[in-house]
Amino acid sequence: MTQQIEITLRSRSNGFHIITGEITSALPSLPETGLLNLFIKHTSAALSINENADPDVRVDMKSIFNRLVKEKEPYYLHTMEGDDDMPAHAKASIIGPSISIPITNHRLNLGRWQGIYLCEFRDYGGPRTIVATILS
């Protein structure tokens, strides 16, 4: 059986944000076993799974991506939506719009130190919509 819902996340600042609790609280009852796919419906934000314990990881991730893809590069053509927009598209493409997580014993089978990240690459990205598809 397949279930699908949309989850709207509140607006967040530019950075890497743990949203595991927000996602799990919005999900319906999970099957005994299956797979959860999360897909973000935006081109300037992404989803990832990473460290959920030390907040320094999220700060470091932002620093790494800001060094990899800089704002205000003279070769950017897509500049009408602000200095953070084209870099946001590139960063979102590097990480990607979706993740899949196994479901075991009616729970997400994440590792001990893993959390679901919203990777927000705009300074003011606004609310973000996630499509959650549960396969059992």
Side-chain angles (χ1 to χ4, degrees), residues 9 12 15-17 19 40 45-47 116-120 128:
L9 303 175
R12 287 179 168 80
F16 290 74
H17 307 277
I19 58 168
I40 191 163
L47 296 173
I116 302 168
Y117 277 24
L118 168 66
C119 310
E120 177 56 70
R128 299 301 192 173

Side-chain angles (χ1 to χ4, degrees), residues 87-130:
H89 293 312
K91 293 170 186 177
S93 288
I94 290 168
I95 292 182
S98 66
I99 56 174
S100 293
I101 304 166
I103 299 168
T104 307
N105 296 324
H106 307 282
R107 299 180 65 186
L108 298 182
N109 196 346
L110 290 166
R112 178 179 204 167
W113 308 112
Q114 290 181 317
I116 302 168
Y117 277 24
L118 168 66
C119 310
E120 177 56 70
F121 298 121
R122 294 296 308 266
D123 293 334
Y124 304 102
R128 299 301 192 173
T129 302
I130 308 286

Side-chain angles (χ1 to χ4, degrees), residues 9-20:
L9 303 175
R10 64 179 170 79
S11 298
R12 287 179 168 80
S13 61
N14 182 307
F16 290 74
H17 307 277
I18 295 178
I19 58 168
T20 311

